[in-house]
Amino acid sequence: MLWVAAQTSEAAFLTSPPSARGRVCQKLLELTIGLLRPLIHGPATGEASPNYPANMVINGVALGGFGVSMDQLGAQSSATGAVDDVATYVHLATVVSASEYKAASMRWWTAAWSLARELKLGRELPPNATTRQDGEMDGEGDIDVNGNKRPPPSLMGHGPGNSAVNLTEEEREERRRIWWLLYATDRHLALCYNRPLTLLDKECEGLLQPMNDDIWQAGDLSSMGYRRAGPSFECTGHSMFGYFLPLMSILGEIVDLQHARNHPRFGLHFRNSGEWESQAMEISRQLDVYAQSLKEFEARYTSSLALGTAEPDPGMEGSNINHMSPSGRSSSTVGSHVSESIVHTKMVVAYGTHIMHVLHILLAGKWDPINLLDDNDLWISSESFISAMGHAVSAAEASSDILEYDPDLSFMPFFFGIYLLQGSFLLLLTADKLQGDASPSVVRACETIVRAHEACVVTLNTEYQRTFRKVMRSALAQVRGRVPEDFGEQQQRRREVLALYRWSGDGSGLAL
């Protein structure tokens, strides 16, 4: 936690001299990895802790493996992992993901996913389950989706020792929340890096959804309402689990479909069969279900809060505690008469709407910008393109709402960039093909996307966002009718830039 806090803290000893932050972060990271090291490798008995070479850590980011040299490994690696270890991996991975070394973060995410699976966090535990402090479970086993009891799993992991410890409801909820966070991140990163899923739906079909975030933060675990088990496709609340997790459940199905469609041996047969169409229609139906739930969510919280008639409902988020906007400037954009709770609801709806439209675009299967520009299969003249283009314009309109309620895009900066990017590719294609003949709606959409990318660069300055901002500025100049003299050269430079980020073949997306 100290390492995470040191990344952005403005404490004097971290800002003066300028090199202080990097030095402190490096020391804290070495200490963190040193404490995790028995879980990863474990030295032979009697071995000393390794000395971490300087080239293992750059600016507080572990790049060389897990920061542990291979000659230090021993054969007696027997430490039991714990839920806290998974959470530590998540923190390490999140910070590295926000840096320019995005590919390096996958080592930490993979460790978190693997340990979560080893600890069986995707399974619901029975009410009478206990865990011995050596990690072994006592009780009657966990419960599957049909209510059947499984054999007691091992490695639930709550530290060394032999005494039995009853699992509290808080500990059960921690397990659920960590699993669903990893589940959502797995699907998000599958899109970012053009990789298959790691955590499967069947591993958590019996796991309850996370509880109301307000109740969780208040610690009132006795106020829980009904929760469904397994992946959900409906917006239920203001938290990441309420509005973003359902979208990631749908994205996981799109990712699976995309990889099946592009399989080097079986993909052609799959694309030519009716199976692909039926799966795409089912995913489209799920997106429609999400859209309807988003409308109901907005109506529930904006109308009732505006009238002051919101009724407490422990099963729904936001019913008992006002939600505060993460951006101090957000409320001023909609007037002082609108409460922060309504602003928060509007932000959730805007972000949810944008990502939903981007998922419709992804469902069409055109993820790669170079393939879009080449248009070898003449997709641009198909009904599918017209539908996807409508979603691209709608996504841009949702981006405009996002900029109104959250002008610095601070609500979900670590997640939003890839959806903004994928939602922009079709607008770039249209600008490239039509240039000055583009419709006014496309011109407005391009203008909005440029504004959104500029806000993203200010909030979370990463290379791909800086790069694509330049590309979209060039495209915007074209649709406005300003064609430069070196138009051909600019198009070639644009292709070279976009070719860095590929979602076809063995392309790795944003992971350069």
Side-chain angles (χ1 to χ4, degrees):
M1 299 307 295
L2 289 174
W3 178 69
V4 172
Q7 305 294 322
T8 56
S9 172
E10 295 301 323
F13 74 93
L14 289 172
T15 57
S16 180
S19 61
R21 187 186 305 276
R23 187 170 60 251
V24 171
C25 285
Q26 177 172 328
K27 292 294 184 183
L28 288 172
L29 179 60
E30 290 175 358
L31 178 60
T32 302
I33 295 174
L35 293 171
L36 279 173
R37 181 176 172 274
L39 175 60
I40 304 170
H41 300 296
T45 304
E47 276 192 14
S49 297
N51 294 319
Y52 296 94
N55 62 0
M56 285 292 184
V57 179
I58 300 176
N59 293 330
V61 176
L63 299 179
F66 288 103
V68 180
S69 56
M70 296 301 293
D71 58 357
Q72 298 289 339
L73 304 187
Q76 300 179 18
S77 162
S78 59
T80 297
V83 171
D84 284 349
D85 294 311
V86 182
T88 304
Y89 285 138
V90 170
H91 283 102
L92 287 163
T94 301
V95 173
V96 180
S97 294
S99 73
E100 298 293 359
Y101 308 103
K102 296 185 180 302
S105 70
M106 289 306 300
R107 301 163 191 166
W108 295 109
W109 286 118
T110 300
W113 294 326
S114 299
L115 184 55
R117 178 175 278 153
E118 183 181 339
L119 297 178
K120 298 179 174 61
L121 299 188
R123 296 184 182 180
E124 198 65 42
L125 299 179
N128 60 342
T130 61
T131 179
R132 297 202 308 269
Q133 289 188 352
D134 59 359
E136 294 293 329
M137 284 297 299
D138 291 327
E140 301 180 16
D142 55 351
I143 301 173
D144 63 19
V145 68
N146 298 317
N148 300 319
K149 294 175 181 176
R150 293 190 178 99
S154 61
L155 296 177
M156 289 301 161
H158 288 272
N162 295 314
S163 60
V165 177
N166 287 319
L167 279 174
T168 65
E169 184 55 39
E170 181 178 359
E171 289 172 324
R172 297 170 191 275
E173 184 64 18
E174 283 179 349
R175 291 168 53 89
R176 298 180 192 116
R177 296 172 81 85
I178 289 177
W179 174 271
W180 287 119
L181 174 63
L182 291 171
Y183 172 95
T185 307
D186 177 33
R187 279 134 183 81
H188 171 76
L189 294 179
L191 171 61
C192 289
Y193 303 144
N194 194 35
R195 47 172 292 277
L197 303 181
T198 299
L199 304 179
L200 308 179
D201 285 352
K202 67 180 180 181
E203 295 181 86
C204 54
E205 58 185 355
L207 185 67
L208 293 179
Q209 287 280 309
M211 68 168 60
N212 178 323
D213 215 49
D214 294 330
I215 295 176
W216 170 251
Q217 294 296 336
D220 185 13
L221 304 185
S222 62
S223 302
M224 291 184 296
Y226 168 78
R227 289 181 287 170
R228 64 166 295 162
S232 172
F233 308 121
E234 298 181 16
C235 175
T236 59
H238 294 80
S239 73
M240 175 263 196
F241 295 119
Y243 76 93
F244 187 65
L245 177 58
L247 288 167
M248 293 301 96
S249 298
I250 300 173
L251 175 59
E253 298 184 345
I254 296 174
V255 169
D256 277 339
L257 188 64
Q258 176 77 350
H259 285 287
R261 185 163 43 192
N262 295 326
H263 192 280
R265 290 183 297 280
F266 310 126
L268 181 62
H269 173 74
F270 180 70
R271 290 193 300 270
N272 293 332
S273 69
E275 181 66 19
W276 177 82
E277 290 292 343
S278 63
Q279 290 189 30
M281 288 178 62
E282 171 59 21
I283 295 173
S284 181
R285 185 195 66 80
Q286 292 171 1
L287 286 168
D288 291 340
V289 169
Y290 181 85
Q292 181 60 35
S293 71
L294 204 60
K295 290 179 182 177
E296 295 171 357
F297 169 81
E298 181 179 21
R300 174 186 176 88
Y301 288 107
T302 55
S303 60
S304 61
L305 285 172
L307 297 173
T309 58
E311 297 180 1
D313 180 357
M316 298 291 288
E317 285 190 16
S319 55
N320 54 346
I321 298 177
N322 281 347
H323 295 274
M324 302 303 291
S325 164
S327 169
R329 291 177 287 169
S330 298
S331 58
S332 63
T333 63
V334 292
S336 58
H337 65 285
V338 180
S339 72
E340 285 287 325
S341 296
I342 293 181
V343 173
H344 193 174
T345 299
K346 293 287 188 181
M347 280 196 295
V348 167
V349 171
Y351 276 100
T353 301
H354 179 276
I355 298 174
M356 177 193 68
H357 285 298
V358 172
L359 295 191
H360 274 289
I361 297 170
L362 294 173
L363 185 57
K366 298 295 182 178
W367 296 15
D368 188 83
I370 299 299
N371 288 351
L372 273 175
L373 293 175
D374 290 340
D375 194 32
N376 292 329
D377 57 357
L378 302 179
W379 181 63
I380 197 172
S381 59
S382 68
E383 287 291 329
S384 176
F385 170 78
I386 296 173
S387 174
M389 193 64 209
H391 286 293
V393 173
S394 297
E397 292 171 352
S399 297
S400 181
D401 292 337
I402 290 171
L403 290 169
E404 178 182 357
Y405 297 112
D406 186 30
D408 55 1
L409 301 185
S410 60
F411 187 57
M412 49 182 297
F414 294 101
F415 290 108
F416 185 58
I418 183 62
Y419 306 101
L420 181 62
L421 183 70
Q422 283 287 346
S424 306
F425 285 156
L426 286 183
L427 297 174
L428 177 63
L429 170 66
T430 303
D432 187 80
K433 300 296 184 183
L434 300 180
Q435 299 177 26
D437 297 328
S439 67
S441 63
V442 171
V443 175
R444 287 194 302 272
C446 289
E447 291 171 344
T448 301
I449 292 301
V450 169
R451 287 171 51 214
H453 276 288
E454 288 174 346
C456 270
V457 168
V458 172
T459 301
L460 188 63
N461 190 6
T462 56
E463 179 64 28
Y464 81 89
Q465 288 172 332
R466 293 193 298 270
T467 298
F468 198 72
R469 176 184 59 175
K470 296 176 184 177
V471 170
M472 284 305 299
R473 277 179 173 172
S474 171
L476 180 58
Q478 285 185 28
V479 298
R480 284 174 172 169
R482 296 199 300 269
V483 180
E485 294 181 2
D486 60 343
F487 174 67
E489 292 182 12
Q490 285 207 10
Q491 276 195 320
Q492 182 59 33
R493 285 199 297 269
R494 185 186 302 167
R495 285 183 63 90
E496 291 173 357
V497 168
L498 293 175
L500 296 173
Y501 309 101
R502 301 301 304 270
W503 276 267
S504 62
D506 61 350
S508 56
L510 301 180
L512 299 182

